[in-house]
Amino acid sequence: MKELQFQKIVIAFLKEHDVWHVKYWAGSQYTKEGVPDILACINGTFHGIELKTDIGKPSKLQLYNIQKIKDSGGEAYILRPKDFETWKERWFS
């Protein structure tokens, strides 16, 4: 599954569960690079969700930002299609 296809599935799931979220678009002169793809508030906790295919590799900057979010008390992680069901069970059951 391609990342864009997976992104649509994750965003649809978040909308279905009425979760506040924003799809972060990096790469313009006004946005910061390395920020997770989706920023969300799930059950009162900030989540930085970096979407990758099952074989996609995060950049060093993405890993750095994931760690900074964790260090600040939020949840941050890489979400892959193979882990989607487990993710839903962990955060939505």
Side-chain angles (χ1 to χ4, degrees):
M1 177 182 306
K2 293 185 178 185
E3 192 174 304
L4 184 59
Q5 192 178 12
F6 183 48
Q7 174 183 290
K8 289 178 183 179
I9 291 168
V10 173
I11 288 174
F13 179 83
L14 293 172
K15 285 181 181 178
E16 179 182 316
H17 287 81
D18 200 29
V19 171
W20 181 91
H21 66 283
V22 63
K23 164 62 180 122
Y24 189 81
W25 298 98
S28 82
Q29 65 183 12
Y30 302 108
T31 60
K32 186 176 178 179
E33 291 184 359
V35 173
D37 294 310
I38 298 173
L39 307 176
C41 186
I42 302 171
N43 299 321
T45 301
F46 178 85
H47 286 246
I49 307 168
E50 180 61 41
L51 302 174
K52 293 289 179 196
T53 65
D54 286 332
I55 59 169
K57 296 186 186 230
S59 70
K60 287 181 183 179
L61 185 55
Q62 289 169 331
L63 293 173
Y64 171 81
N65 282 317
I66 285 170
Q67 190 58 54
K68 291 299 282 181
I69 292 168
K70 289 178 179 180
D71 291 347
S72 297
E75 295 288 339
Y77 43 84
I78 297 165
L79 182 59
R80 301 174 187 279
K82 67 181 175 127
D83 301 321
F84 188 52
E85 292 303 316
T86 303
W87 176 80
K88 290 192 293 187
E89 289 173 16
R90 177 174 182 193
W91 297 108
F92 295 91
S93 54

Coordinates of all heavy atoms in Angstrom, one line a residue:
M1 N 0.8 -1.2 0.0 CA 0.0 0.0 0.0 C 0.9 1.2 0.0 O 1.8 1.3 0.8 CB -0.9 0.0 1.3 CG -1.8 1.2 1.4 SD -2.8 1.2 2.9 CE -3.6 -0.3 2.8
K2 N 0.5 2.2 -0.8 CA 1.3 3.4 -0.9 C 1.0 4.3 0.3 O -0.1 4.2 0.9 CB 1.0 4.2 -2.2 CG 1.5 3.4 -3.4 CD 1.3 4.2 -4.7 CE 1.8 3.4 -5.9 NZ 1.8 4.1 -7.1
E3 N 1.9 5.2 0.6 CA 1.7 6.1 1.8 C 0.5 7.0 1.7 O -0.3 7.1 2.6 CB 3.0 6.9 2.0 CG 3.0 7.6 3.3 CD 4.3 8.3 3.6 OE1 5.4 7.7 3.5 OE2 4.3 9.5 3.9
L4 N 0.3 7.5 0.5 CA -0.9 8.4 0.3 C -2.2 7.6 0.5 O -3.2 8.1 1.1 CB -0.9 9.0 -1.1 CG -2.0 10.1 -1.4 CD1 -1.9 11.2 -0.4 CD2 -1.8 10.6 -2.8
Q5 N -2.2 6.4 0.0 CA -3.4 5.6 0.2 C -3.7 5.3 1.7 O -4.8 5.4 2.2 CB -3.2 4.3 -0.6 CG -4.3 3.4 -0.8 CD -3.9 2.1 -1.6 OE1 -2.7 1.9 -1.8 NE2 -4.9 1.4 -2.0
F6 N -2.6 5.0 2.4 CA -2.7 4.7 3.8 C -3.1 6.0 4.6 O -3.9 5.9 5.5 CB -1.3 4.2 4.3 CG -1.3 3.8 5.8 CD1 -2.3 3.1 6.4 CD2 -0.3 4.2 6.6 CE1 -2.3 2.7 7.7 CE2 -0.2 3.9 7.9 CZ -1.3 3.1 8.5
Q7 N -2.5 7.1 4.2 CA -2.9 8.4 4.8 C -4.4 8.6 4.7 O -5.0 9.0 5.7 CB -2.2 9.5 4.1 CG -2.6 10.9 4.5 CD -1.8 11.9 3.7 OE1 -0.6 12.1 3.9 NE2 -2.6 12.7 2.9
K8 N -5.0 8.4 3.6 CA -6.5 8.5 3.4 C -7.2 7.6 4.4 O -8.2 8.1 5.0 CB -6.9 8.3 2.0 CG -6.4 9.4 1.0 CD -6.8 9.0 -0.4 CE -6.3 10.1 -1.3 NZ -6.6 9.8 -2.7
I9 N -6.8 6.4 4.6 CA -7.4 5.5 5.5 C -7.3 6.0 6.9 O -8.3 6.0 7.7 CB -6.8 4.1 5.4 CG1 -7.2 3.5 4.0 CG2 -7.2 3.1 6.5 CD1 -6.4 2.2 3.6
V10 N -6.1 6.4 7.3 CA -5.9 6.9 8.7 C -6.8 8.2 9.0 O -7.5 8.3 10.0 CB -4.4 7.2 9.0 CG1 -4.3 7.8 10.4 CG2 -3.6 5.9 8.9
I11 N -6.8 9.1 8.1 CA -7.5 10.3 8.2 C -9.0 10.0 8.3 O -9.8 10.6 9.1 CB -7.2 11.4 7.1 CG1 -5.8 11.9 7.4 CG2 -8.2 12.5 7.1 CD1 -5.2 12.8 6.4
A12 N -9.5 9.1 7.4 CA -10.9 8.7 7.5 C -11.3 8.1 8.8 O -12.3 8.4 9.4 CB -11.2 7.7 6.3
F13 N -10.4 7.3 9.4 CA -10.6 6.7 10.7 C -10.7 7.8 11.8 O -11.6 7.7 12.6 CB -9.5 5.7 11.0 CG -9.7 5.0 12.3 CD1 -10.5 3.9 12.5 CD2 -9.0 5.5 13.4 CE1 -10.7 3.3 13.7 CE2 -9.2 4.9 14.7 CZ -10.0 3.8 14.8
L14 N -9.8 8.7 11.7 CA -9.8 9.8 12.7 C -11.1 10.6 12.6 O -11.7 10.9 13.7 CB -8.5 10.7 12.6 CG -7.2 10.0 12.9 CD1 -6.1 10.9 12.5 CD2 -7.1 9.6 14.4
K15 N -11.5 10.9 11.4 CA -12.7 11.7 11.2 C -13.9 10.9 11.8 O -14.8 11.4 12.4 CB -12.9 12.0 9.7 CG -12.1 13.1 9.2 CD -12.3 13.4 7.8 CE -11.4 14.5 7.2 NZ -11.7 14.7 5.8
E16 N -14.0 9.6 11.5 CA -15.0 8.7 11.9 C -15.2 8.7 13.4 O -16.2 8.5 14.0 CB -14.8 7.3 11.4 CG -15.8 6.2 11.7 CD -15.4 4.9 11.2 OE1 -14.9 4.8 10.0 OE2 -15.5 3.9 12.0
H17 N -14.0 8.8 14.1 CA -14.0 8.8 15.6 C -14.0 10.2 16.2 O -13.7 10.4 17.3 CB -12.8 8.0 16.1 CG -13.1 6.5 15.9 ND1 -12.9 5.9 14.7 CD2 -13.5 5.6 16.7 CE1 -13.2 4.6 14.8 NE2 -13.6 4.4 16.0
D18 N -14.2 11.2 15.3 CA -14.3 12.6 15.7 C -13.1 13.1 16.5 O -13.2 13.8 17.5 CB -15.6 12.8 16.6 CG -16.0 14.3 16.6 OD1 -15.7 15.0 15.7 OD2 -16.6 14.7 17.6
V19 N -11.9 12.7 16.0 CA -10.7 13.1 16.6 C -10.2 14.4 16.0 O -10.1 14.4 14.7 CB -9.6 12.0 16.4 CG1 -8.2 12.4 16.9 CG2 -10.1 10.7 17.2
W20 N -9.8 15.4 16.8 CA -9.2 16.6 16.2 C -7.8 16.2 15.7 O -7.0 15.5 16.3 CB -9.0 17.6 17.3 CG -8.3 18.9 16.7 CD1 -9.0 19.9 16.3 CD2 -6.9 19.1 16.5 NE1 -8.1 20.8 15.7 CE2 -6.8 20.3 15.9 CE3 -5.8 18.4 16.8 CZ2 -5.6 20.9 15.5 CZ3 -4.6 18.9 16.4 CH2 -4.5 20.2 15.8
H21 N -7.6 16.6 14.4 CA -6.3 16.3 13.8 C -6.1 17.3 12.7 O -7.0 18.0 12.2 CB -6.3 14.9 13.2 CG -7.3 14.7 12.1 ND1 -8.7 14.6 12.3 CD2 -7.1 14.7 10.7 CE1 -9.3 14.5 11.1 NE2 -8.4 14.6 10.2
V22 N -4.8 17.3 12.2 CA -4.5 18.1 11.1 C -3.4 17.4 10.3 O -2.5 16.7 10.9 CB -3.9 19.5 11.5 CG1 -2.7 19.4 12.4 CG2 -3.7 20.5 10.3
K23 N -3.6 17.4 9.0 CA -2.5 16.8 8.1 C -1.5 17.9 7.9 O -1.8 19.0 7.5 CB -3.2 16.4 6.8 CG -2.2 16.2 5.7 CD -1.2 15.0 5.9 CE -0.3 14.8 4.8 NZ 1.1 15.0 5.1
Y24 N -0.3 17.7 8.3 CA 0.8 18.7 8.3 C 1.5 18.6 6.9 O 1.9 17.5 6.5 CB 1.8 18.4 9.4 CG 2.8 19.6 9.5 CD1 2.5 20.7 10.1 CD2 4.0 19.5 8.9 CE1 3.3 21.8 10.2 CE2 4.9 20.5 9.0 CZ 4.6 21.7 9.6 OH 5.5 22.7 9.7
W25 N 1.5 19.7 6.2 CA 2.2 19.8 4.9 C 3.5 20.5 5.1 O 3.5 21.7 5.3 CB 1.3 20.6 3.9 CG 0.0 19.9 3.7 CD1 -1.2 20.2 4.3 CD2 -0.3 18.8 2.8 NE1 -2.2 19.4 3.8 CE2 -1.7 18.5 2.9 CE3 0.5 18.1 1.9 CZ2 -2.3 17.5 2.2 CZ3 -0.1 17.1 1.2 CH2 -1.5 16.8 1.4
A26 N 4.6 19.8 4.9 CA 5.9 20.4 5.0 C 6.4 20.7 3.6 O 5.9 20.3 2.6 CB 6.8 19.4 5.7
G27 N 7.4 21.5 3.6 CA 8.1 21.7 2.4 C 8.0 23.1 1.8 O 8.7 23.5 0.9
S28 N 7.1 23.9 2.4 CA 7.0 25.3 1.9 C 8.0 26.2 2.7 O 8.5 25.7 3.8 CB 5.6 25.8 1.9 OG 5.3 26.3 3.2
Q29 N 8.1 27.4 2.3 CA 9.0 28.3 3.1 C 8.5 28.6 4.5 O 9.2 29.1 5.3 CB 9.3 29.5 2.3 CG 8.1 30.4 2.1 CD 8.5 31.6 1.2 OE1 9.5 31.7 0.6 NE2 7.6 32.6 1.2
Y30 N 7.2 28.4 4.7 CA 6.6 28.7 6.0 C 6.4 27.6 6.9 O 5.8 27.7 8.0 CB 5.3 29.4 5.7 CG 5.4 30.7 4.9 CD1 5.0 30.7 3.5 CD2 6.0 31.8 5.4 CE1 5.1 31.8 2.8 CE2 6.2 32.9 4.6 CZ 5.7 32.9 3.3 OH 5.9 34.0 2.5
T31 N 6.8 26.4 6.5 CA 6.5 25.2 7.4 C 7.9 24.6 7.8 O 8.9 24.7 7.0 CB 5.6 24.2 6.7 OG1 6.3 23.7 5.5 CG2 4.3 24.7 6.4
K32 N 7.8 23.9 8.9 CA 9.0 23.2 9.4 C 9.1 21.8 8.8 O 8.1 21.1 8.8 CB 8.9 23.2 10.9 CG 10.0 22.7 11.7 CD 9.8 22.8 13.2 CE 11.0 22.2 13.9 NZ 10.8 22.3 15.4
E33 N 10.3 21.4 8.4 CA 10.5 20.1 7.9 C 10.6 19.1 9.0 O 11.1 19.4 10.1 CB 11.7 20.0 7.0 CG 11.5 20.8 5.7 CD 12.7 20.7 4.8 OE1 13.7 20.0 5.1 OE2 12.6 21.3 3.7
G34 N 10.3 17.8 8.8 CA 10.5 16.7 9.7 C 9.4 16.6 10.7 O 9.4 15.7 11.6
V35 N 8.3 17.4 10.6 CA 7.2 17.3 11.5 C 6.4 16.1 11.1 O 6.2 15.9 9.9 CB 6.3 18.6 11.5 CG1 5.1 18.5 12.2 CG2 7.2 19.8 12.0
P36 N 5.8 15.3 12.0 CA 5.0 14.2 11.7 C 3.9 14.5 10.7 O 3.3 15.6 10.7 CB 4.5 13.6 13.0 CG 5.5 14.1 14.0 CD 6.0 15.4 13.5
D37 N 3.4 13.6 9.9 CA 2.4 13.8 8.9 C 1.1 14.2 9.5 O 0.4 15.1 8.9 CB 2.2 12.5 8.1 CG 3.4 12.1 7.3 OD1 3.9 13.0 6.5 OD2 3.8 10.9 7.4
I38 N 0.7 13.6 10.6 CA -0.6 14.0 11.2 C -0.4 14.3 12.7 O 0.3 13.6 13.4 CB -1.6 12.8 11.1 CG1 -1.9 12.4 9.7 CG2 -2.9 13.1 11.9 CD1 -2.7 11.1 9.5
L39 N -0.9 15.5 13.1 CA -0.9 15.9 14.4 C -2.3 15.7 14.9 O -3.3 16.2 14.3 CB -0.5 17.4 14.5 CG 0.9 17.7 13.8 CD1 1.1 19.2 13.9 CD2 2.0 16.9 14.4
A40 N -2.5 15.1 16.1 CA -3.8 14.7 16.6 C -3.9 14.8 18.1 O -2.9 14.7 18.8 CB -4.2 13.3 16.1
C41 N -5.1 15.0 18.6 CA -5.3 14.9 20.0 C -6.3 13.7 20.2 O -7.4 13.8 19.9 CB -5.9 16.2 20.5 SG -6.1 16.2 22.3
I42 N -5.7 12.6 20.8 CA -6.5 11.4 21.0 C -6.6 11.2 22.5 O -5.6 11.1 23.2 CB -5.8 10.2 20.4 CG1 -5.6 10.4 18.9 CG2 -6.5 8.9 20.6 CD1 -4.7 9.4 18.1
N43 N -7.9 11.2 23.0 CA -8.2 11.1 24.4 C -7.4 12.0 25.3 O -6.9 11.6 26.3 CB -7.9 9.6 24.8 CG -8.8 8.6 24.1 OD1 -10.0 8.9 23.8 ND2 -8.2 7.5 23.7
G44 N -7.2 13.3 24.8 CA -6.6 14.3 25.6 C -5.1 14.3 25.5 O -4.4 15.1 26.2
T45 N -4.5 13.4 24.6 CA -3.0 13.4 24.5 C -2.6 13.8 23.1 O -3.2 13.3 22.1 CB -2.5 11.9 24.8 OG1 -2.9 11.6 26.1 CG2 -1.0 11.8 24.7
F46 N -1.6 14.6 23.0 CA -1.0 15.0 21.7 C -0.3 13.8 21.1 O 0.5 13.1 21.7 CB 0.0 16.1 21.9 CG 0.6 16.6 20.6 CD1 0.0 17.5 19.8 CD2 1.8 16.0 20.2 CE1 0.6 17.9 18.6 CE2 2.4 16.4 19.0 CZ 1.8 17.3 18.2
H47 N -0.6 13.6 19.8 CA 0.0 12.5 19.0 C 0.7 13.1 17.8 O 0.0 13.8 17.0 CB -1.0 11.5 18.5 CG -1.5 10.6 19.6 ND1 -1.2 9.2 19.6 CD2 -2.2 10.8 20.7 CE1 -1.8 8.7 20.7 NE2 -2.4 9.6 21.4
G48 N 1.9 12.8 17.5 CA 2.6 13.1 16.3 C 2.7 11.7 15.5 O 3.4 10.8 16.0
I49 N 2.0 11.6 14.4 CA 1.9 10.3 13.7 C 2.6 10.5 12.4 O 2.2 11.2 11.5 CB 0.4 10.0 13.5 CG1 -0.3 10.0 14.8 CG2 0.4 8.6 12.8 CD1 -1.9 9.9 14.6
E50 N 3.7 9.8 12.3 CA 4.5 9.8 11.0 C 4.1 8.5 10.2 O 4.2 7.4 10.7 CB 6.0 9.7 11.3 CG 6.9 9.7 10.0 CD 6.7 10.9 9.2 OE1 6.6 12.0 9.7 OE2 6.7 10.7 7.9
L51 N 3.5 8.7 9.1 CA 3.0 7.6 8.2 C 4.1 7.1 7.3 O 4.8 7.9 6.7 CB 1.8 8.0 7.4 CG 0.6 8.5 8.2 CD1 -0.4 9.1 7.3 CD2 0.1 7.5 9.1
K52 N 4.3 5.8 7.3 CA 5.2 5.2 6.3 C 4.6 3.9 5.8 O 3.7 3.3 6.4 CB 6.5 4.8 7.1 CG 7.3 6.0 7.6 CD 8.0 6.7 6.4 CE 8.8 7.9 6.9 NZ 9.1 8.8 5.8
T53 N 5.1 3.5 4.6 CA 4.7 2.2 4.1 C 5.4 1.2 5.0 O 6.2 1.5 5.9 CB 5.2 2.0 2.6 OG1 6.6 2.0 2.7 CG2 4.7 3.1 1.7
D54 N 5.0 -0.1 4.8 CA 5.6 -1.2 5.6 C 7.2 -1.2 5.4 O 7.8 -1.8 6.3 CB 5.0 -2.5 5.3 CG 3.6 -2.6 5.9 OD1 3.3 -1.9 6.9 OD2 2.8 -3.3 5.3
I55 N 7.7 -0.7 4.4 CA 9.2 -0.7 4.2 C 9.8 0.7 4.2 O 11.0 0.8 4.1 CB 9.5 -1.5 2.9 CG1 8.9 -0.8 1.7 CG2 9.1 -2.9 3.0 CD1 9.4 -1.3 0.3
G56 N 9.0 1.7 4.3 CA 9.5 3.1 4.3 C 10.4 3.4 5.5 O 10.2 2.9 6.6
K57 N 11.4 4.2 5.3 CA 12.4 4.5 6.4 C 12.2 6.0 6.7 O 12.2 6.9 5.8 CB 13.8 4.2 5.9 CG 14.0 2.7 5.7 CD 15.4 2.4 5.5 CE 15.5 1.0 5.1 NZ 16.5 0.2 5.8
P58 N 12.2 6.3 8.0 CA 12.1 7.7 8.4 C 13.5 8.4 8.3 O 14.5 7.7 8.4 CB 11.7 7.6 9.9 CG 12.2 6.3 10.3 CD 12.1 5.4 9.1
S59 N 13.4 9.7 8.1 CA 14.7 10.5 8.0 C 15.2 10.7 9.5 O 14.5 10.5 10.4 CB 14.4 11.8 7.3 OG 13.7 12.6 8.2
K60 N 16.4 11.1 9.6 CA 17.0 11.4 10.9 C 16.2 12.6 11.5 O 16.0 12.6 12.7 CB 18.5 11.8 10.7 CG 19.4 10.6 10.5 CD 20.8 11.0 10.3 CE 21.7 9.8 10.0 NZ 23.1 10.2 9.9
L61 N 15.8 13.5 10.7 CA 15.0 14.7 11.2 C 13.7 14.2 11.8 O 13.2 14.7 12.8 CB 14.9 15.8 10.2 CG 14.2 17.1 10.6 CD1 14.9 17.7 11.8 CD2 14.2 18.0 9.4
Q62 N 13.0 13.3 11.1 CA 11.7 12.8 11.5 C 11.9 12.1 12.9 O 11.1 12.3 13.8 CB 11.1 11.9 10.5 CG 10.6 12.6 9.3 CD 10.3 11.7 8.1 OE1 10.8 10.6 8.0 NE2 9.3 12.1 7.3
L63 N 13.0 11.2 13.0 CA 13.2 10.5 14.2 C 13.5 11.5 15.3 O 13.1 11.3 16.5 CB 14.4 9.5 14.0 CG 14.1 8.4 13.1 CD1 15.3 7.5 12.9 CD2 12.9 7.5 13.7
Y64 N 14.3 12.6 15.0 CA 14.6 13.6 16.0 C 13.3 14.2 16.5 O 13.1 14.4 17.8 CB 15.5 14.6 15.4 CG 15.7 15.9 16.3 CD1 16.7 15.8 17.3 CD2 15.0 17.0 16.0 CE1 16.9 16.9 18.1 CE2 15.2 18.1 16.9 CZ 16.1 18.1 17.9 OH 16.3 19.2 18.7
N65 N 12.4 14.6 15.6 CA 11.2 15.3 16.1 C 10.3 14.3 16.8 O 9.6 14.7 17.8 CB 10.5 15.9 14.8 CG 11.1 17.2 14.4 OD1 11.4 18.0 15.2 ND2 11.3 17.3 13.1
I66 N 10.2 13.1 16.4 CA 9.5 12.1 17.2 C 10.0 12.0 18.6 O 9.2 12.0 19.6 CB 9.5 10.7 16.5 CG1 8.6 10.7 15.3 CG2 9.1 9.6 17.5 CD1 8.8 9.5 14.4
Q67 N 11.3 12.0 18.8 CA 11.9 12.0 20.2 C 11.6 13.2 20.9 O 11.3 13.2 22.1 CB 13.4 11.7 20.1 CG 14.0 11.4 21.4 CD 13.4 10.2 22.1 OE1 13.3 9.1 21.6 NE2 12.9 10.4 23.3
K68 N 11.6 14.4 20.3 CA 11.4 15.7 21.0 C 9.9 15.7 21.5 O 9.6 16.2 22.6 CB 11.6 16.8 20.0 CG 13.0 17.1 19.7 CD 13.9 17.4 20.9 CE 13.7 18.9 21.3 NZ 14.5 19.3 22.5
I69 N 9.0 15.2 20.7 CA 7.6 15.1 21.1 C 7.5 14.2 22.3 O 6.8 14.5 23.3 CB 6.7 14.6 20.0 CG1 6.6 15.7 18.9 CG2 5.3 14.3 20.5 CD1 6.0 15.2 17.6
K70 N 8.1 13.0 22.3 CA 8.1 12.1 23.4 C 8.7 12.8 24.7 O 8.2 12.7 25.8 CB 8.8 10.8 23.1 CG 8.1 9.9 22.1 CD 9.0 8.7 21.8 CE 8.4 7.8 20.9 NZ 9.2 6.6 20.6
D71 N 9.8 13.5 24.5 CA 10.5 14.2 25.6 C 9.6 15.2 26.2 O 9.7 15.6 27.4 CB 11.8 14.8 25.1 CG 12.9 13.8 24.8 OD1 12.7 12.6 25.1 OD2 13.9 14.2 24.2
S72 N 8.7 15.8 25.4 CA 7.7 16.8 25.9 C 6.5 16.2 26.5 O 5.6 17.0 26.9 CB 7.4 17.7 24.7 OG 8.5 18.4 24.2
G73 N 6.4 14.9 26.6 CA 5.2 14.3 27.2 C 4.1 13.8 26.2 O 3.1 13.3 26.6
G74 N 4.3 14.0 24.9 CA 3.3 13.6 23.9 C 3.6 12.2 23.5 O 4.6 11.6 23.8
E75 N 2.8 11.7 22.6 CA 3.0 10.4 22.0 C 3.4 10.7 20.5 O 2.8 11.5 19.9 CB 1.7 9.6 21.9 CG 1.2 9.2 23.3 CD 2.0 8.1 23.9 OE1 2.7 7.4 23.2 OE2 1.9 7.9 25.1
A76 N 4.4 10.0 20.1 CA 4.9 10.2 18.7 C 5.5 8.8 18.2 O 6.2 8.1 19.0 CB 6.0 11.3 18.6
Y77 N 5.2 8.5 17.0 CA 5.6 7.2 16.5 C 5.4 7.2 15.0 O 4.8 8.0 14.3 CB 4.7 6.1 17.1 CG 3.2 6.5 17.2 CD1 2.4 6.3 16.1 CD2 2.7 7.1 18.4 CE1 1.0 6.7 16.2 CE2 1.4 7.5 18.4 CZ 0.6 7.3 17.4 OH -0.7 7.7 17.4
I78 N 5.9 6.1 14.4 CA 5.7 5.8 13.0 C 4.6 4.8 12.9 O 4.6 3.7 13.6 CB 7.0 5.2 12.4 CG1 8.1 6.3 12.5 CG2 6.8 4.7 11.0 CD1 9.5 5.7 12.3
L79 N 3.6 5.1 12.1 CA 2.5 4.2 11.9 C 2.6 3.6 10.5 O 2.7 4.3 9.5 CB 1.2 4.9 12.1 CG -0.1 4.1 12.0 CD1 -0.1 2.9 13.0 CD2 -1.3 5.0 12.2
R80 N 2.5 2.3 10.4 CA 2.6 1.5 9.1 C 1.3 0.8 8.9 O 0.6 0.4 9.9 CB 3.8 0.6 9.2 CG 5.1 1.3 9.4 CD 6.3 0.3 9.5 NE 7.5 0.9 9.9 CZ 8.3 1.5 9.0 NH1 8.0 1.6 7.7 NH2 9.4 2.1 9.4
P81 N 1.0 0.5 7.7 CA -0.3 -0.3 7.4 C -0.3 -1.6 8.2 O -1.4 -2.0 8.7 CB -0.2 -0.6 5.9 CG 0.6 0.6 5.4 CD 1.6 0.9 6.4
K82 N 0.8 -2.3 8.4 CA 0.8 -3.6 9.1 C 0.5 -3.5 10.5 O 0.1 -4.4 11.2 CB 2.1 -4.3 8.9 CG 3.3 -3.6 9.5 CD 4.6 -4.4 9.3 CE 5.7 -3.5 9.9 NZ 6.6 -4.2 10.8
D83 N 0.6 -2.2 11.1 CA 0.4 -2.0 12.5 C -0.9 -1.3 12.8 O -1.2 -0.9 13.9 CB 1.6 -1.1 13.1 CG 2.9 -1.8 12.9 OD1 3.0 -3.1 13.1 OD2 3.9 -1.1 12.6
F84 N -1.7 -1.0 11.7 CA -2.9 -0.2 11.9 C -3.9 -0.8 12.8 O -4.5 -0.1 13.7 CB -3.5 0.1 10.5 CG -4.6 1.1 10.5 CD1 -4.5 2.4 11.1 CD2 -5.8 0.8 9.9 CE1 -5.5 3.3 11.1 CE2 -6.8 1.7 9.9 CZ -6.7 3.0 10.4
E85 N -4.2 -2.0 12.7 CA -5.2 -2.7 13.6 C -4.7 -2.6 15.0 O -5.6 -2.3 15.9 CB -5.4 -4.1 13.1 CG -6.1 -4.2 11.8 CD -7.5 -3.5 11.7 OE1 -8.3 -3.6 12.7 OE2 -7.7 -2.8 10.7
T86 N -3.5 -2.9 15.3 CA -3.0 -2.8 16.7 C -3.1 -1.4 17.2 O -3.4 -1.2 18.4 CB -1.5 -3.3 16.7 OG1 -1.4 -4.7 16.2 CG2 -0.9 -3.3 18.1
W87 N -2.7 -0.4 16.4 CA -2.8 1.0 16.8 C -4.3 1.3 17.1 O -4.5 2.0 18.2 CB -2.3 1.8 15.6 CG -2.5 3.3 15.8 CD1 -1.6 4.1 16.5 CD2 -3.5 4.2 15.3 NE1 -2.1 5.4 16.5 CE2 -3.2 5.5 15.7 CE3 -4.6 4.0 14.5 CZ2 -4.0 6.6 15.4 CZ3 -5.4 5.0 14.1 CH2 -5.1 6.3 14.6
K88 N -5.2 0.9 16.3 CA -6.6 1.2 16.6 C -7.0 0.5 18.0 O -7.7 1.2 18.8 CB -7.6 0.7 15.5 CG -7.4 1.4 14.2 CD -8.5 1.1 13.2 CE -8.5 -0.3 12.7 NZ -9.4 -0.5 11.6
E89 N -6.6 -0.7 18.2 CA -6.9 -1.3 19.5 C -6.3 -0.6 20.7 O -7.0 -0.5 21.7 CB -6.5 -2.8 19.5 CG -7.3 -3.7 18.5 CD -6.7 -5.1 18.4 OE1 -5.8 -5.5 19.2 OE2 -7.1 -5.8 17.5
R90 N -5.1 -0.2 20.5 CA -4.4 0.5 21.6 C -5.1 1.8 22.0 O -5.2 2.1 23.2 CB -2.9 0.7 21.3 CG -2.2 1.5 22.4 CD -0.7 1.6 22.1 NE -0.1 2.3 23.2 CZ 1.1 2.7 23.2 NH1 1.8 2.6 22.2 NH2 1.5 3.4 24.3
W91 N -5.4 2.6 21.0 CA -5.8 4.0 21.3 C -7.3 4.2 21.2 O -7.8 5.2 21.7 CB -5.1 5.0 20.3 CG -3.7 5.0 20.5 CD1 -2.7 4.5 19.7 CD2 -3.0 5.5 21.6 NE1 -1.5 4.7 20.2 CE2 -1.6 5.3 21.4 CE3 -3.3 6.2 22.8 CZ2 -0.6 5.7 22.3 CZ3 -2.4 6.6 23.7 CH2 -1.0 6.3 23.5
F92 N -8.1 3.2 20.7 CA -9.5 3.5 20.5 C -10.4 2.4 21.1 O -11.6 2.3 20.7 CB -9.8 3.6 19.0 CG -9.2 4.9 18.4 CD1 -7.9 4.8 17.9 CD2 -9.9 6.1 18.5 CE1 -7.3 6.0 17.4 CE2 -9.3 7.2 18.0 CZ -8.0 7.2 17.5
S93 N -9.9 1.5 22.0 CA -10.8 0.5 22.5 C -11.0 0.7 24.0 O -10.4 1.5 24.6 CB -10.3 -0.9 22.2 OG -9.0 -1.1 22.6

